[in-house]
Structure formats: structure tokens, C-alpha cells
Amino acid sequence: MHFSSLSLSLTALAIVSPCIAHPQPVLRQDDSQTRADTIKSAFSHAWDGYLQYAFPHDELHPVSNGYGDSRNGWGASAVDALSTAVIMRNATIVNKILDHVATIDYSKTDSTVSLFETTIRYLGGMLSGYDLLKGPASDLVSDSSKVDVLLTQSKNLGDVLKFAFNTPSGVPYNNLNITSGGNDGATTNGLAVTGTLALEWTRLSDLTGDPTYGDLSQKAESYLLNPQPKSAEPFPGLVGSNINIATGQFADAQVSWNGGDDSYYEYLIKMYVYDPKRFGLYKDRWVAAAQSTMQHLASHPSSRPDLTFLASYNNGTYDLSSQHLTCFDGGSFLLGGTVLNRTDFINFGLALVNGCHDTYNSTLTGIGPETFSWDTSSIPASQQTLYEQAGFYITSGAYILRPEVIESFYYAWRVTGDETYREWIWSAFSAINDYCRTGSGFAGLTDVNAANGGGRYDNQESFLFAEVMKYSYLAFSEEAEWQVQTGGGNKFVLNTEAHPVRVST
Ligand SMILES: *[C@@H]1O[C@H](CO)[C@@H](O)[C@H](O)[C@H]1NC(C)=O
Ligand SMILES: *[C@@H]1O[C@H](CO)[C@@H](O)[C@H](O)[C@H]1NC(C)=O
Ligand SMILES: *[C@@H]1O[C@H](CO)[C@@H](O)[C@H](O)[C@H]1NC(C)=O
Ligand SMILES: *[C@@H]1O[C@H](CO)[C@@H](O)[C@H](O)[C@H]1NC(C)=O
Ligand SMILES: *[C@@H]1O[C@H](CO)[C@@H](O)[C@H](O)[C@H]1NC(C)=O
């Protein structure tokens, strides 16, 4: 999950009938192969453009053919693309990225380092590449010392970043100056940025044999698992949004699954998948949060009571709005439901997936908006018809190549085997391929509910490679150890950037 502050207003109107899922006939194997090949070609298109115009910078500007360094200039798109290139079995790209990783100096940057973003993209990308190339994809790279560099560099990066946890409580600063060993002077840290470190940092410890990294992340997490004061947990398992760095106490009791909070909940169940022996408490907290979410946050638009979205809650007041980012929620319920054998969680996950599909299926592009609402007190006149038909109206119509909806479709496909969900992935991928593709890569849209997607954002986030391409490809590619499995059979767990990490053995 990722943060972004897009504030765009939108007035376009969609008149598309809401659609309900019908069972699909099973896709023929060669059709599945054709789709997988199309997704691979799209990945190559983006890679080739990045290589030509932006490498070794962080990301391509896909309209102007320029580049940006929004992630400290260490080649974020290359590192984020690694695990997808491995899964697509493209040895040329994999070798190019390994050669690049060996050259990165993680101790040097001109800009502020985000502990969270650096962890999920760079650390997660390198550790996943290591796990895949030492494991089920070991035939892809003949020189194993090139693979060893991934772990050496992961340790180097962990050593650069670990001072972030050097606070009175052990709750880290997120925004770091790695040159001075300083920070931005924040007094609180966010729930997601604090609670989305344990998988990568624990994996780093388990692979290096040095417990320091895992211990630091788990100490920070301990304040989230046992929230104080008690008022910061208004419903069992659902906690506030900001934590005091000096004391580890929560600073508020605002509850949501939206950006800023999201991947805290995601990692509770993923840590259990990673190692059920060590992370049973994390699972208990996820179960509590999931049950409270079904009971207190599930919300049904008045115009479409058949749809389920998640509201947020603060001190007795519900906010009836949600985000593209929040749409990882269906996948989280599906993963927890299958791992814990809980039909109620699976069914609720499918209801959330259906709601997020509605946000895609109801726009003129077939892509869902950045933010939307079903609060009837402030429906813009121009969107009354959209609200009546689709059960939501758009509060920001941007699409910046986010993966969460396709991600949850992927979990729905893996957990149920129902072809409907693969068709939804194919529709979403096809819409992105149609509307976002430029001469050198993929650009965001300013308005998913304008006939042509509105304008284009001149930016291609690295998560296009890591997430959108990977989840789409996985749905149409072969059975493999890195695929999400039903029941307790997972050999890998995908971090929040979709990097598969081998589960603890
Ligand atoms: C690997 O990627 C390169 C660069 O995008 C592409 O030209 C090539 O066809 C791909 N190879 C395979 C085997 O897919
Ligand atoms: C980090 O600290 C160094 C040394 O104090 C300073 O020169 C530099 O401008 C700071 N970097 C950022 C991004 O603030
Ligand atoms: C919660 O709401 C009540 C009244 O609605 C108010 O008195 C109280 O101060 C609020 N608490 C917080 C922490 O905002
Ligand atoms: C899952 O739960 C159902 C009943 O709730 C039970 O019949 C079934 O055996 C369980 N499966 C596993 C694998 O535990
Ligand atoms: C909505 O879904 C239906 C059925 O799955 C499909 O035929 C239609 O093309 C979709 N519309 C959009 C805009 O994606």
C-alpha cells in the first residue's frame, strides 16, 4: 500500500449499468497462455521505456520520456521490477537488475528517506529476489554470487536504516536523514508505516542469522498489538492511526482500513502466514480486527444495499467514504479466511471484492477512482445518476497505476477458483493497457470517468512493475510455489509491494 495526496475534483458523469457477477466458463489453457503473454509484453514495453529513458533513476516520466528520483535515486523501478521479472522468467531483465543492485550505495542520497517505502520496495524487492533465485527460480541465474549480492545489499540497507528505531520507545521515525542520522522531528508515527516493517525486517534477520533487524521491527509492533491507552481501541482489534514516538502510546482513536492504516492490518495475518509459531498473537489481533470490521465498519450504500464498502470511524462518527488503496481489504479477508478456514471471512472478503469491482465496472474507462463516497448528504448534482446506479460517487477520479483492486481479484481467484475473478482481472488489465499506455510506458489518468481517462500524469510509479503487472500475470500463469495457495499451503507470502517472501521454515 502506498500513500499519496492527490486532490482532484471531478464532475464527469457515468451512465453504465451496474453489473452482477455471473459464473464464467472455464478459460481454455491456450487462452490463458495468450493473456499471460500479453501481460508479459506490457511489462517488457514498460521495462524497455524505463531502460531507454530513465534507468538507473527511480522512475520513468512516461509522457515526456524524462525521469524522476522520488525514492532516493537508487533505481526504485529496477529493484521493484526484479521479482516480477523472475516470475516471468526473463533472464535478460533479471541479470540487468542484479548488475544494478550490486552498484547501489544505500548510504548515499540527497533526499529524505522513508523507512516504510524503502522497506517495502527496496528491502522487500531484494529479499524476494533472493528467496526466489535461491529457491524455485534458481535455474534463471547461473552465477550464484550475483544472487548473494541481494542479501549483502539487504543487510547494508538494514544497517543504514536501523538508527530510525533508536527512540525512547522503539517506535521508529519514518522520515530520515541518513547522512546526518537525523529525522524530521515528528512526534508521532503512523499506524501503517510502523506496522508494515516486520515481514521484511524479520526475513532479513532469518536469512542473515542476526536477530537485530527482526527484534527492532517487532519491538515497534508490540505497541500496536497491545494498544494504550485502552480508548485507542474503540472496537476489539481496531486501533487508532498515530503513535507517540516517545512513549509508544496511541495519539488518537481514528479507525479505518484506508491509506495510512491499511497495511498494519494486512501484515497481521501475513506475519502468521510467514511463521504461525512466532506470530500467533498477530493472527489473534487480525481475527479481532476482522470480526469488528464485519460488525462495525461494513457499510451498504442506500441506493445499492447489495454492495459492501468499509466506512471509517472516529469517536462515534462514521465517515462513509473509501479509497482505491482500501481495496486490498478483500484480499486480506480472503487470505485470512483460507488460512484459518473461516467461511465467514471468505464470504465477507468476496463482498468487499464485489464492491471494489463495482467502482471499476461503473466508470467510463472501466478503472476505479482514487477516492469515492456514499454519504448521501453531499452528492454532487452531476453525480446523482452515478450514485443511484453504482452506489458511490467520485471524490477524486485519478488513477495512478494502483494495484489494490486487481490484487484482491487475484486472491478471490486463487481462493475460489471462480473464473469470474480472472475475467475481472483481465478487464481491469485491458483497461489499463488501453488507457494508460504511452509510447514508453504507462501513465496515470486524471479522470477515470472521462471518456478517454481525462489527462495523463507524467509519472510511472515503480509499483506498476512490482504489483499491477505481477498480480495480473499470476492469474494467467502456471501453478508455482510463489502463487497464493488455499488453506495452510503457502510457501511464499507477498509483501505489501507484492514481493513474494519465502515463509519461515
Ligand atoms: C525479456 O525482456 C526483454 C526486454 O523487455 C524482451 O525484449 C525479451 O523479449 C524478453 N524475453 C523473454 C524471454 O520474454
Ligand atoms: C541531511 O543532513 C545533512 C547534514 O546535516 C544536510 O547537509 C542535508 O541537507 C540533509 N538532507 C536533507 C534531505 O535534509
Ligand atoms: C468525542 O465526542 C464527544 C461528544 O460527541 C466529545 O465530548 C469528546 O470530547 C470527543 N472526544 C474526543 C477524544 O475527541
Ligand atoms: C474447515 O471447517 C469446516 C467446518 O467449519 C470443516 O468441516 C473442515 O474440515 C475444515 N477444514 C480444515 C482443512 O480444517
Ligand atoms: C462491466 O461488467 C460487465 C460484465 O462483467 C462487462 O460486460 C462490462 O464491459 C463491464 N463494464 C466496464 C465499463 O468495464
Side-chain angles (χ1 to χ4, degrees):
M1 305 306 120
H2 306 270
F3 306 104
S4 134
S5 45
L6 280 168
S7 51
L8 289 142
S9 63
L10 230 264
T11 50
L13 172 75
I15 305 181
V16 175
S17 308
C19 291
I20 292 169
H22 298 293
Q24 297 282 333
V26 173
L27 192 63
R28 294 199 349 260
Q29 178 53 38
D30 52 346
D31 292 340
S32 176
Q33 187 59 52
T34 304
R35 289 180 178 186
D37 289 345
T38 302
I39 298 160
K40 251 200 262 192
S41 300
F43 179 86
S44 267
H45 172 68
W47 176 260
D48 292 347
Y50 168 69
L51 209 55
Q52 183 174 357
Y53 298 112
F55 179 84
H57 294 280
D58 284 339
E59 61 270 321
L60 172 73
H61 290 171
V63 178
S64 61
N65 294 335
Y67 60 81
D69 278 316
S70 71
R71 304 261 75 92
N72 307 107
W74 296 320
S77 289
V79 180
D80 239 4
L82 175 60
S83 65
T84 308
V86 171
I87 284 168
M88 291 181 173
R89 298 195 55 80
N90 191 312
T92 313
I93 299 180
V94 168
N95 276 290
K96 179 84 186 170
I97 297 171
L98 293 180
D99 290 341
H100 171 68
V101 168
T103 69
I104 300 173
D105 183 349
Y106 282 117
S107 72
K108 290 200 170 55
T109 182
D110 293 335
S111 47
T112 298
V113 174
S114 162
L115 177 62
F116 165 79
E117 295 285 359
T118 309
T119 293
I120 67 171
R121 301 193 203 209
Y122 288 106
L123 192 54
M126 292 191 294
L127 291 171
S128 174
Y130 184 84
D131 277 337
L132 293 167
L133 292 169
K134 286 286 177 183
S138 60
D139 58 315
L140 211 54
V141 177
S142 47
D143 180 355
S144 78
S145 69
K146 288 180 71 168
V147 179
D148 293 333
V149 169
L150 291 168
L151 186 56
T152 314
Q153 285 285 57
S154 295
K155 185 171 163 24
N156 290 340
L157 180 55
D159 288 336
V160 165
L161 297 175
K162 66 186 179 194
F163 79 90
F165 296 91
N166 189 11
T167 65
S169 66
V171 171
Y173 289 100
N174 189 59
N175 301 317
L176 311 173
N177 182 329
I178 62 168
T179 311
S180 66
N183 57 68
D184 64 353
T187 55
T188 60
N189 203 19
L191 180 65
V193 297
T194 308
T196 316
L197 304 168
L199 179 59
E200 296 83 355
W201 286 69
T202 300
R203 187 68 188 147
L204 179 58
S205 276
D206 291 351
L207 286 171
T208 58
D210 178 349
T212 308
Y213 314 102
D215 287 351
L216 289 170
S217 65
Q218 291 163 37
K219 168 79 179 171
E221 180 93 20
S222 69
Y223 298 96
L224 313 181
L225 300 173
N226 177 25
Q228 301 296 329
K230 289 295 170 206
S231 58
E233 188 180 357
F235 305 118
L238 294 175
V239 299
S241 218
N242 292 285
I243 303 97
N244 186 305
I245 293 172
T247 64
Q249 296 240 326
F250 274 82
D252 62 60
Q254 298 183 42
V255 163
S256 87
W257 287 61
N258 298 340
D261 298 328
D262 45 10
S263 42
Y264 160 69
Y265 298 107
E266 179 185 348
Y267 271 29
L268 291 177
I269 192 65
K270 287 186 170 178
M271 290 308 288
Y272 178 74
V273 174
Y274 178 69
D275 189 348
K277 288 196 203 69
R278 274 183 284 172
F279 300 106
L281 173 60
Y282 291 56
K283 179 262 293 174
D284 294 343
R285 297 298 293 166
W286 184 86
V287 168
Q291 289 175 166
S292 290
T293 297
M294 291 169 66
Q295 213 177 332
H296 299 289
L297 301 184
S299 179
H300 312 287
S302 58
S303 60
R304 288 289 305 277
D306 58 307
L307 296 176
T308 301
F309 298 131
L310 293 188
S312 46
Y313 173 88
N314 187 23
N315 190 23
T317 302
Y318 286 92
D319 181 3
L320 305 185
S321 69
S322 191
Q323 306 173 340
H324 195 292
L325 284 165
T326 318
C327 283
F328 84 98
D329 52 8
S332 186
F333 271 84
L334 284 154
L335 177 64
T338 191
V339 166
L340 304 174
N341 191 24
R342 288 277 302 258
T343 313
D344 55 342
F345 291 154
I346 290 177
N347 289 338
F348 189 73
L350 293 175
L352 294 174
V353 165
N354 191 54
C356 289
H357 174 251
D358 175 71
T359 71
Y360 268 52
N361 194 249
S362 306
T363 68
L364 293 179
T365 58
I367 300 171
E370 175 74 3
T371 60
F372 56 96
S373 175
W374 58 102
D375 180 344
T376 53
S377 70
S378 46
I379 307 175
S382 61
Q383 296 198 65
Q384 190 68 43
T385 308
L386 177 62
Y387 179 71
E388 292 304 329
Q389 297 194 341
F392 70 93
Y393 56 93
I394 296 169
T395 48
S396 163
Y399 175 67
I400 62 161
L401 308 173
R402 291 201 190 279
E404 293 78 17
V405 174
I406 292 178
E407 171 183 347
S408 284
F409 291 171
Y410 168 69
Y411 280 92
W413 155 245
R414 292 297 302 177
V415 170
T416 67
D418 182 340
E419 292 284 348
T420 301
Y421 301 111
R422 283 217 284 192
E423 289 305 315
W424 288 0
I425 293 173
W426 185 246
S427 296
F429 172 80
S430 300
I432 293 165
N433 206 22
D434 286 349
Y435 288 103
C436 301
R437 197 170 175 128
T438 70
S440 59
F442 292 83
L445 309 175
T446 63
D447 184 354
V448 295
N449 207 19
N452 63 353
R456 298 292 176 277
Y457 291 114
D458 191 15
N459 193 40
Q460 179 182 277
E461 280 274 5
S462 69
F463 50 70
L464 182 273
F465 291 106
E467 303 193 72
V468 172
M469 293 294 170
K470 186 183 291 100
Y471 286 122
S472 299
Y473 180 74
L474 282 174
F476 298 101
S477 61
E478 73 286 358
E479 233 2 276
E481 277 187 36
W482 50 72
Q483 295 268 15
V484 168
Q485 308 294 334
T486 53
N490 286 295
K491 302 279 197 297
F492 281 78
V493 59
L494 294 151
N495 88 335
T496 194
E497 192 79 357
H499 295 304
V501 172
R502 191 188 264 294
V503 301
S504 183
T505 44

